[in-house]
Amino acid sequence: MNAMGEDRDGKISKELETLTRINEVAKKLNSTLELSQIIKHTISELPAFLTAGKCSIFLYDPDREELVMAAHNHYDLDRKMDIRISIHDNSIINHAVRKGHSLLIKDIEKEFGLKNRSKYKSKSSMITLLKSGDKLLGIININDKQDSEDFNDWDLAIAENINEHLATAISNAQLFAQTRRLSITDGLTGLYTHRYFQEILERELARARRYGLPLSLIMIDIDHFKKVNDTYGHQAGDCVLNSLAAMTRRTLRRSDYACRYGGEEFSVVLCETDAEAAMITANRLLAAIRETEVPFNKEILKVTASLGLCTMVEGLSKTRMVEIADRALYRAKREGRDRAVVGTPEGNGSEA
């Protein structure tokens, strides 16, 4: 076999090896519907695949029109760093977004006038788009070529091939997340459903026991809600529920869970929260409810609520926690409403 034939066979062998590796990556990406796992697979595989020293993945947030860093392998960056880039900024990444296609950059200093590249071995970069049809899902920024001076067309072809699999996996994961979110979210208030509340409380109770963490529950019932419906109609009642649900989400931490327990009753699971901290949260909720104004037609509606609290103690089951908090809530009703009462396993409650 002559040298030309050997070169051709070598090229074919290399291409087959690359396709095999790409198929292996694609199988990993399609093996899960969890977005975090998909991103984790990609950031662990792609840099080695392209012999790139640095790689970062940004996902597009259409509500804020921002590219949000989802993962990176930069040793000099905090792993939890929150990096956001508005798609309206005049950045190199956005140059690819505006062009609508991936960029292969041979010399970023000459092509874009970007200096201070001393921390990179190479001045070459690739910016590839993650798209599902015309929908932008995100971008991948690839830098620091390790085995040569710059990235080439072959590298870009590999990156774009993997991108197609990644975009499909991300799109499927987002659809799955959206479907799941709809299945566990109350259609009127946007809070978690009663069924999901039961799952949350069971799970968090088990976690609290395992790690010795505090856990508290607040039950919330809107005072005189029937009067609102009877006086102004059920649409007014829906407006009140919506407003108080939105206020509750704003008042709580991200780690807490606000749920619609049923009718005009909400439930709140406070993770890693002891009795004292739960009462502080309850008082904050009471104040926020009092201050909430609900516009309806030409009226401004205002309501109050009664709250019952329970903090986990040894041997307390999920059902008992709900019973104790609910009993405390009805004591708050009997004692004048617009207040919070702490329930105890013995049946005695103390007012806020």
Side-chain angles (χ1 to χ4, degrees):
M1 183 180 294
N2 59 31
M4 185 178 295
E6 290 177 357
D7 289 344
R8 185 180 64 250
D9 289 346
K11 183 179 179 182
I12 292 172
S13 177
K14 180 182 177 183
E15 289 176 352
L16 287 173
E17 182 184 349
T18 300
L19 287 173
T20 300
R21 290 181 64 192
I22 289 174
N23 285 333
E24 289 172 356
V25 171
K27 285 180 182 178
K28 280 189 177 181
L29 296 179
N30 292 312
S31 66
T32 178
L33 286 169
E34 292 294 332
L35 184 58
S36 60
Q37 288 299 312
I38 291 167
I39 298 299
K40 184 178 178 181
H41 285 326
T42 306
I43 204 65
S44 65
E45 298 280 355
L46 191 58
F49 213 117
L50 297 168
T51 59
K54 295 188 176 180
C55 179
S56 52
I57 301 172
F58 290 78
L59 295 180
Y60 180 53
D61 180 348
D63 294 330
R64 296 188 177 186
E65 295 189 319
E66 291 178 334
L67 290 161
V68 183
M69 183 180 278
H72 66 82
N73 70 337
H74 296 212
Y75 64 87
D76 54 343
L77 285 181
D78 184 343
R79 291 282 175 185
K80 297 180 179 179
M81 182 174 288
D82 185 21
I83 298 178
R84 295 171 176 268
I85 301 172
S86 168
I87 61 167
H88 303 294
D89 288 352
N90 187 27
S91 66
I92 297 173
I93 284 175
N94 282 331
H95 187 73
V97 174
R98 285 191 291 272
K99 289 282 188 181
H101 59 74
S102 300
L103 294 180
L104 172 59
I105 303 168
K106 294 292 185 178
D107 189 323
I108 203 165
E109 291 185 355
K110 289 181 179 178
E111 294 177 45
F112 291 92
L114 187 68
K115 304 298 181 183
N116 192 27
R117 297 283 290 180
S118 57
K119 62 181 178 180
Y120 297 103
K121 290 185 177 180
S122 167
K123 296 177 183 179
S124 182
S125 292
M126 288 192 296
I127 300 170
T128 60
L129 296 185
L130 294 166
K131 298 183 77 173
S132 177
D134 292 330
K135 180 183 176 183
L136 178 66
L137 300 176
I139 65 97
I140 301 181
N141 190 19
I142 305 162
N143 295 281
D144 210 10
K145 183 68 169 170
Q146 300 290 292
D147 59 354
S148 63
E149 288 189 3
D150 51 43
F151 295 104
N152 55 39
D153 291 334
W154 176 249
D155 294 320
L156 183 63
I158 293 173
E160 289 189 324
N161 195 320
I162 292 174
N163 269 23
E164 289 184 18
H165 296 290
L166 177 58
T168 299
I170 289 173
S171 186
N172 289 339
Q174 289 178 340
L175 180 61
F176 173 76
Q178 182 183 11
T179 303
R180 174 166 169 73
R181 189 161 54 247
L182 290 172
S183 72
I184 64 175
T185 302
D186 176 60
L188 175 63
T189 63
L191 300 180
Y192 291 119
T193 60
H194 177 272
R195 180 178 177 180
Y196 192 54
F197 159 72
Q198 297 290 344
E199 292 181 25
I200 292 166
L201 188 56
E202 186 78 52
R203 184 184 69 223
E204 292 301 326
L205 194 57
R207 189 172 75 93
R209 286 177 181 145
R210 187 181 307 118
Y211 298 109
L213 300 170
L215 179 73
S216 294
L217 170 66
I218 301 178
M219 301 296 288
I220 305 170
D221 190 86
I222 302 171
D223 297 329
H224 302 298
F225 186 71
K226 184 176 183 299
K227 185 178 178 181
V228 173
N229 281 332
D230 291 345
T231 305
Y232 300 101
H234 288 281
Q235 285 185 332
D238 288 350
C239 288
V240 169
L241 288 170
N242 267 322
S243 295
L244 293 197
M247 176 280 302
T248 301
R249 286 195 299 269
R250 290 194 302 270
T251 304
L252 298 175
R253 305 167 302 179
R254 287 187 178 183
S255 58
D256 300 327
Y257 297 91
C259 314
R260 188 179 182 191
Y261 192 77
E264 69 273 22
E265 194 169 0
F266 299 160
S267 54
V268 175
V269 179
L270 302 173
C271 302
E272 300 182 28
T273 304
D274 60 18
E276 183 180 357
M279 183 55 78
I280 292 171
T281 299
N283 284 324
R284 194 163 62 242
L285 284 168
L286 283 171
I289 292 168
R290 291 185 203 112
E291 294 167 4
T292 299
E293 296 183 342
V294 183
F296 181 74
N297 293 336
K298 296 181 179 180
E299 302 277 352
I300 296 294
L301 308 182
K302 298 192 74 170
V303 295
T304 59
S306 300
L307 278 61
L309 284 69
C310 178
T311 297
M312 183 193 75
V313 295
E314 185 68 31
L316 209 58
S317 69
K318 174 188 73 173
T319 302
R320 282 288 289 144
M321 281 192 74
V322 174
E323 287 175 354
I324 292 166
D326 218 30
R327 191 169 61 231
L329 184 155
Y330 284 101
R331 178 177 166 184
K333 293 278 190 188
R334 290 194 305 271
E335 295 182 357
R337 298 179 170 83
D338 189 21
R339 66 194 65 208
V341 168
V342 178
T344 63
E346 294 76 26
N348 298 318
S350 59
E351 188 181 330

